[in-house]
Amino acid sequence: MNLSYFIKTMNYPLKMFNSGQITLPKKWREQYDTHSFIAEETSEGLLIKPILTNSPSERSIETFIENFKVQVAKQGFTEKEIDEVIAKIM
């Protein structure tokens, strides 16, 4: 990656505390107006995404489904198989 990539995108170093917690920059917390984020493991590392719904129960369900999809996809299930299972339980 070159320097222009880091200038164009908002990259901030994050510090992890002994408890495993990290603090997101104030700019991000205010920009996304949420207290819930999901961390996804990618080929490049961790991707932190805001969860942008209003209902706490919707956030919990959406987080569960997002995590479920990622984990079962890693086990070799197809997107169609995953969606069929989710449709049965919803």
Side-chain angles (χ1 to χ4, degrees):
M1 288 186 213
N2 59 34
L3 185 58
S4 63
Y5 171 81
F6 289 102
I7 294 171
K8 291 179 192 174
T9 60
M10 294 186 348
N11 289 292
Y12 295 98
L14 303 176
K15 178 181 178 183
M16 183 170 64
F17 297 94
N18 290 338
S19 63
Q21 293 179 327
I22 59 171
T23 301
L24 299 176
K26 183 177 181 181
K27 183 175 182 176
W28 288 353
R29 296 190 314 263
E30 290 175 346
Q31 178 180 350
Y32 293 105
D33 191 30
T34 183
H35 293 281
S36 299
F37 293 81
I38 188 164
E40 178 181 332
E41 188 174 9
T42 70
S43 60
E44 294 184 34
L46 292 177
L47 172 64
I48 299 173
K49 301 185 292 187
I51 299 173
L52 302 174
T53 60
N54 294 328
S55 165
S57 61
E58 287 176 356
R59 282 195 297 261
S60 298
I61 291 168
E62 288 177 4
T63 300
F64 172 81
I65 291 172
E66 185 74 25
N67 286 331
F68 175 79
K69 287 182 175 183
V70 169
Q71 294 304 316
V72 295
K74 288 179 183 178
Q75 301 300 317
F77 291 92
T78 66
E79 187 174 347
K80 181 180 177 185
E81 291 172 317
I82 295 168
D83 289 341
E84 287 173 354
V85 169
I86 291 171
K88 286 181 184 178
I89 62 172
M90 295 303 284

